[in-house]
Amino acid sequence: MVSGSASLQPDFLELEERVDLGGVHDCHIVPVGKRRDGGTRYWCLAHKADATAKYGRPAHSCRAAHIPPVTADEALELNVDKFPGGIAIWGAVPPIYDSTKLPLDRGIHVHARRTLGGKKAIDKTFRVVKLLGKNISKNGIEVSEIDAIYFMVSTVFSIEMKHVSCSICGYSHLDKDWFSVHPHQRHLCSGCGKYFRDTVRAVGNPIRQVQADFGMTPREPKASRKPLNLKQNDYPGGIQIWGSNPAIVWTSENDEEEGIHIHAFNAVGEPPVHDDTYAEVAIDGVELDPQMVRTLMAQNALPHIEGRVMSLTCKTCHASEFDVDERAFTPSTSRTCSKCHGELERRGRLRKVIANPLVDILDKLAAAAPRPLQKHSIGLLPETI
């Protein structure tokens, strides 16, 4: 999808002029305007995705037609009034390190407790969560998996988000991939497929409206104080590692903790022995940096930088380089050591890369893992300019 590449011509063709493709993949493909080269842009109103083939022709199916619809067991209606012990929901992405045999976990992870500090009545991941309750509108407030994942990405990189609505059709706008980390004013609406301009430069995410409707006042998580020292051989069921990120909704009276979240299993199929967020984590004597863990987790969820995050070491002082702030999501060719300005050792053919020492650290830990690591892909589509 290309943002800012076509002029908006609302009167070019009306949306009712549907392209008849015989109902392929249940797409609803319509012409929505002109491309720069004079061809026609097409959009799928069913899947909210681009459906333009070569030479400005309608595609047989849109680029999102392969995504399976949400099933009943992948959706949750959550009445917040039934869980006075607190609820919390986060955007869930695969762990950055996974030596278990557990299936891929992506979407919206939910914790719900009936009593404060009590056992979790719900501890599961869903693709859609609808929040219900006496202080919530009758129709409830819905959170989608893709909104939750990109909320995590923007939050980790400290990108301010706002609720953005299409000025043409009113559809709530989500900025994905490249656009989730670069504030901008001109947006491509997923609802109608047309370009519109917002009042300010920003990153759009419908979750900001969810939080406003829910009446949630964002609270800063407090750093965990708990240390954890593990040896992989002690956990033959495997270990999973995530970085923490602020919850979309958090209603517990207790503070949310920030650090490194660990699952460690004695055996396959058993509940984890460790399932908590820790300030300091050492595995086989190797200490993990919480900022590097959080950053790599978010980097792994950005399709446009896939394969460009790697470990870079200075040839002069031998220090490992770690890109932060904007450089953490912006591949660059101008690579010098931030400590001594020496040349960084480069591997592979890619010219533009991002440095995160954790890539090599995890590779070394993987050599001692009880089984080969799982390599998860959440299949997010690239969205770039």
Side-chain angles (χ1 to χ4, degrees), residues 280-295:
E280 301 173 1
V281 174
I283 300 177
D284 294 343
V286 178
E287 294 185 3
L288 304 181
D289 182 290
Q291 185 181 6
M292 291 181 186
V293 173
R294 281 195 300 274
T295 299

Side-chain angles (χ1 to χ4, degrees), residues 48-103:
K48 315 298 184 188
D50 182 65
T52 309
K54 283 186 176 180
Y55 313 116
R57 297 173 180 173
H60 288 286
S61 60
C62 74
R63 69 198 300 258
H66 67 286
I67 300 174
V70 178
T71 61
D73 62 342
E74 294 173 326
L76 173 68
E77 287 194 351
L78 182 62
N79 190 323
V80 300
D81 300 332
K82 295 182 178 180
F83 300 94
I87 65 166
I89 62 176
W90 298 268
V93 292
I96 63 166
Y97 186 90
D98 188 359
S99 58
T100 72
K101 292 185 176 180
L102 295 173

Side-chain angles (χ1 to χ4, degrees), residues 90-91 93-96 151-153 155-157 220-224 241-248 250 256-262 276-279 281 289-298:
W90 298 268
V93 292
I96 63 166
F151 182 87
M152 178 278 294
V153 171
T155 300
V156 167
F157 290 128
E220 287 293 326
K222 290 192 175 181
S224 172
I241 305 171
W242 293 266
S244 64
N245 63 96
I248 294 168
W250 179 275
E256 183 180 1
E257 290 187 318
E258 182 179 76
I260 300 174
H261 195 78
I262 298 288
D276 210 339
T277 301
Y278 302 91
V281 174
D289 182 290
Q291 185 181 6
M292 291 181 186
V293 173
R294 281 195 300 274
T295 299
L296 185 60
M297 181 179 69

Side-chain angles (χ1 to χ4, degrees), residues 201-380:
R201 290 172 58 86
V203 166
N205 194 306
I207 283 174
R208 282 302 190 212
Q209 189 61 48
V210 169
Q211 293 176 326
D213 291 345
F214 192 76
M216 175 183 172
T217 302
R219 293 189 298 174
E220 287 293 326
K222 290 192 175 181
S224 172
R225 296 183 178 181
K226 299 184 289 290
L228 183 65
N229 196 326
L230 300 176
K231 291 184 178 180
Q232 293 191 87
N233 287 339
D234 294 337
Y235 299 93
I239 294 172
Q240 296 175 315
I241 305 171
W242 293 266
S244 64
N245 63 96
I248 294 168
V249 172
W250 179 275
T251 65
S252 173
E253 295 177 14
N254 294 333
D255 290 317
E256 183 180 1
E257 290 187 318
E258 182 179 76
I260 300 174
H261 195 78
I262 298 288
H263 288 176
F265 300 84
N266 275 342
V268 176
E270 293 185 1
V273 179
H274 297 287
D275 179 2
D276 210 339
T277 301
Y278 302 91
E280 301 173 1
V281 174
I283 300 177
D284 294 343
V286 178
E287 294 185 3
L288 304 181
D289 182 290
Q291 185 181 6
M292 291 181 186
V293 173
R294 281 195 300 274
T295 299
L296 185 60
M297 181 179 69
Q299 288 168 333
N300 287 346
L302 289 173
H304 78 283
I305 61 173
E306 183 178 1
R308 296 187 180 273
V309 181
M310 59 185 63
S311 295
L312 299 176
T313 305
C314 178
K315 293 182 179 179
T316 304
C317 71
H318 308 294
S320 294
E321 188 72 5
F322 177 43
D323 286 332
V324 297
D325 300 325
E326 188 173 349
R327 296 192 68 152
F329 51 82
T330 308
S332 172
T333 56
S334 57
R335 308 303 324 202
T336 57
C337 176
S338 58
K339 294 180 175 63
C340 74
H341 304 291
E343 183 183 356
L344 295 176
E345 186 176 359
R346 183 181 297 277
R347 288 173 291 178
R349 296 182 178 181
L350 293 174
R351 294 176 60 249
K352 293 185 176 183
V353 296
I354 298 168
N356 190 329
L358 196 57
V359 174
D360 273 2
I361 292 172
L362 296 180
D363 283 346
K364 291 175 182 177
L365 287 178
R371 63 184 62 84
L373 297 190
Q374 294 199 79
K375 299 294 184 182
H376 298 291
S377 174
I378 54 179
L380 296 179

